[in-house]
Amino acid sequence: ASNTSGYSIVFQSNGTFRVYKVTSLRSHATGTDVAGQSHSENIDYQNRTEQTTVCNPYPCNMPTNGLIYIEDRTWVEGTVNGRAMLVAAKLPYNSSTAPSILIPNNLVYLAKDGNHVLGLIGQKDILLTYFVPNNLEINAAFIAQNGSFQRYHFPGSLKGTLTEYGSIASYG
């Protein structure tokens, strides 16, 4: 756990990834989820601090077993070169503390040739954030284990296109 707002993982086209601790959040309007519930919590990072001691050498190489496990809310973006499964979960499961994965920016494969794959499992939701680009591309297999894959409805904040390459499994 970060003991702050969570972590940010940025995949690099050279086959590594960078890890940041999110230290503050960017404010935005209240949104409504697919069940009609209002959400006033901020879901975009404002400031991050790079965590250069989490692996040696840094930036981190893709793990040999492919698994990246984080016990906190996690923002994921960048260019995936290699194969990985990133899980944001806190055990034992508690619906009030289960972390989500947030997508603040494009998340793409180096090439769509089967050599670069990413699975994302959010114990709660997988959310596209308020400040995502107007035209967003995301490449991964997304699983929202106990929540939903969604972008909240923010009145006055319509976006352009979402291009998804992969799959989506959502409890809600």
Side-chain angles (χ1 to χ4, degrees):
S2 68
N3 298 317
T4 60
S5 298
Y7 287 102
S8 168
I9 304 296
V10 181
F11 288 99
Q12 308 289 301
S13 61
N14 66 358
T16 63
F17 61 94
R18 296 183 177 278
V19 179
Y20 299 84
K21 188 179 282 191
V22 175
T23 56
S24 66
L25 300 175
R26 193 171 170 187
S27 63
H28 56 73
T30 296
T32 307
D33 68 19
V34 295
Q37 300 294 313
S38 290
H39 293 269
S40 60
E41 74 272 12
N42 296 318
I43 58 173
D44 280 278
Y45 60 76
Q46 176 79 32
N47 294 303
R48 306 176 293 176
T49 303
E50 195 161 10
Q51 304 297 294
T52 58
T53 60
V54 296
C55 54
N56 185 15
Y58 188 84
C60 304
N61 292 315
M62 291 288 211
T64 54
N65 68 0
L67 183 62
I68 303 167
Y69 181 82
I70 300 173
E71 291 185 314
D72 211 330
R73 179 168 42 176
T74 306
W75 287 260
V76 182
E77 61 192 292
T79 301
V80 176
N81 178 350
R83 304 171 76 82
M85 171 73 71
L86 187 145
V87 178
K90 195 177 291 188
L91 299 174
Y93 174 72
N94 179 325
S95 61
S96 66
T97 60
S100 294
I101 291 177
L102 300 107
I103 310 295
N105 211 329
N106 291 314
L107 176 63
V108 298
Y109 296 148
L110 183 65
K112 295 178 180 115
D113 59 6
N115 292 310
H116 312 285
V117 295
L118 178 64
L120 296 177
I121 300 176
Q123 192 176 34
K124 186 177 179 188
D125 296 315
I126 296 185
L127 301 172
L128 306 180
T129 66
Y130 181 83
F131 291 106
V132 292
N134 283 332
N135 299 303
L136 180 68
E137 182 176 354
I138 53 175
N139 304 165
F142 299 94
I143 298 174
Q145 183 182 14
N146 296 289
S148 297
F149 177 97
Q150 62 183 307
R151 180 175 188 262
Y152 297 149
H153 171 68
F154 299 102
S157 178
L158 297 177
K159 298 295 181 175
T161 61
L162 170 62
T163 303
E164 198 272 335
Y165 181 83
S167 60
I168 297 172
S170 182
Y171 178 81

